[in-house]
Amino acid sequence: MLMKAPEKHGFDAARLNRIPAFLKERYLDSGKLANAQLLIARDGEIVHFSSQGPAREDGGAIDETSLFRIASMTKPITSIAFMMLVEEGKVAVDTPVHHVLPEFKGLGVFEAGGGPVPFQTKPTAQPMRMVDLLRHTSGLTYGFQHRTNVDAAYRAGKIENWHGGHDLDSFIGALAEIPLEFSPGDAWNYSVSTDVLGAVVQRVSGMPLDRFFAERIFGPLKMDDTGFWVEADKVDRLTDCYTFVPGKGRIMYDRGAESAWSAKPKLLSGGGGLVSTALDYSRFCQMCLNGGELDDVRIVGRKTIELMTANHLPGNSDLTTMSRSLFSEAALAGTGFGLGFAVMKELAPGMVQGSVGEYYWGGMFSTAFFIDPVERLTMVFMTQMSPSSTYPIRRELKTMIYSALT
């Protein structure tokens, strides 16, 4: 990995170097996080790369080869895959979902019922379209939200269990038996929408989702360490993963040496299934920043990236207004949503430095990225701690990174 002098790319090196010290003091020495890895690039050049902490309990330190579960940072990749098919004329952003997934035809909105009581539904005001999957206005939800009778039905049916009984087709069939929480387009709710979009990619392309990703995205971008599971010869590079339990603190969630991610999942999750490295994901970010191209390889067109990173919420709304979700990877104030990314509409409501037009997302294990086309800046942060809301680390990182710009 070649790292360039920060000063030549508009950064104060001393201010950048405060960040690893801050992470160590606040998060690593205190035991809040096991490790932390930060990659910052500007003008296509890496200007900062720091790794701290052990990859595994009693193991060696993380480094540029370390593998991390990136969870919902899978979503932008699935969204790019879908837009590749749009560019080929095989599907459109406004295509009704049931045209590709006929199981969803006639899917209604929850009115009553749940558990032993049959659901009562009403028709949707308009059909669910692909744009609703891309921007999370589909009416679908996540079982872990613990808010409604609908998400309780997801849990009861083990809808989101990657190593359970469902493959992508039976996953769609099971979802089609559960009502929507609201009529598509009426609200924003973080959901399995992007998993459904993965099923769309699989059916429209005629290729298994993992193969489409490998052949059409990861191979061309040289993202050689990114995939839905970790091959045997790379398992030693997979980091331990933790979760925060109130009253107990950080406890082991998935041990790298015996990880669930070391076996191919039956359900390929386009919403949260990938494992990657900071260097690999930085290449994906740079492709987006370059308008769909990296190292003379074009993944999508420049105007496609422009469309994806516009705010697509109805009425140019923001997540504060439209969100029904108890969980999100976005700071909601001033934030819109595009086709697979949160998009910064205005800075003042969020009260954090950045740029209008910046787009970003994160994963449940506290990984995060952002892409700033105004400052030509990308960031990838890796660690392994759920839930991502445990600590305000993303906000702190953004503040310190932008404070280092000269």
Side-chain angles (χ1 to χ4, degrees), residues 12-259:
D12 181 315
R15 285 182 163 231
L16 271 188
N17 288 334
R18 294 191 304 203
I19 303 175
F22 167 82
L23 291 171
K24 182 176 186 298
E25 179 180 355
R26 177 158 299 185
Y27 290 105
L28 303 185
D29 290 350
S30 65
K32 291 176 180 175
L33 297 177
N35 49 50
Q37 188 172 81
L38 178 65
L39 189 158
I40 303 166
R42 198 174 195 203
D43 303 312
E45 304 287 356
I46 297 172
V47 296
H48 176 90
F49 186 87
S50 57
S51 300
Q52 302 180 83
R56 296 181 178 179
E57 287 184 343
D58 305 320
I62 57 168
D63 59 24
E64 64 186 58
T65 70
S66 295
L67 293 163
F68 299 86
R69 303 152 192 80
I70 62 170
S72 288
M73 280 166 58
T74 305
K75 288 178 169 70
I77 295 174
T78 305
S79 302
I80 285 280
F82 174 81
M83 295 305 293
M84 295 169 77
L85 298 172
V86 170
E87 289 189 337
E88 294 167 11
K90 294 177 177 176
V91 67
V93 174
D94 65 351
T95 298
V97 174
H98 71 264
H99 286 192
V100 176
L101 305 176
E103 297 96 325
F104 275 26
K105 187 172 178 61
L107 190 55
V109 178
F110 174 85
E111 281 204 306
V117 180
F119 283 119
Q120 296 177 34
T121 65
K122 62 183 178 182
T124 60
Q126 57 187 1
M128 185 194 302
R129 296 174 297 154
M130 299 299 175
V131 66
D132 293 309
L133 298 177
L134 287 153
R135 69 187 181 187
H136 294 282
T137 56
S138 62
L140 298 165
T141 190
Y142 266 127
F144 58 71
Q145 295 214 42
H146 292 269
R147 291 169 54 248
T148 67
N149 288 3
V150 175
D151 63 51
Y154 280 43
R155 292 193 299 278
K158 299 182 178 178
I159 296 290
E160 298 152 48
N161 188 341
W162 300 347
H163 292 281
H166 291 303
D167 60 12
L168 266 178
D169 287 328
S170 65
F171 164 77
I172 296 300
L175 273 181
E177 299 296 320
I178 304 173
L180 300 174
E181 291 209 332
F182 51 83
S183 194
D186 283 1
W188 188 93
N189 187 46
Y190 200 41
S191 72
V192 297
S193 287
T194 318
D195 292 283
V196 174
L197 195 69
V200 171
V201 170
Q202 184 165 280
R203 289 203 192 171
V204 171
S205 68
M207 295 171 64
L209 189 62
D210 57 331
R211 206 176 107 214
F212 187 96
F213 280 8
E215 294 181 11
R216 299 290 306 274
I217 300 175
F218 302 151
L221 290 180
K222 297 183 173 62
M223 294 171 65
D224 300 328
D225 289 322
T226 305
F228 285 105
W229 70 97
V230 181
E231 300 285 358
D233 61 348
K234 295 183 179 180
V235 166
D236 62 324
R237 294 162 50 189
L238 181 61
T239 52
D240 285 342
C241 189
Y242 301 87
T243 191
F244 180 83
V245 176
K248 295 183 179 179
R250 172 166 63 91
I251 66 167
M252 186 68 68
Y253 171 78
D254 182 72
R255 206 173 289 279
E258 51 208 45
S259 173

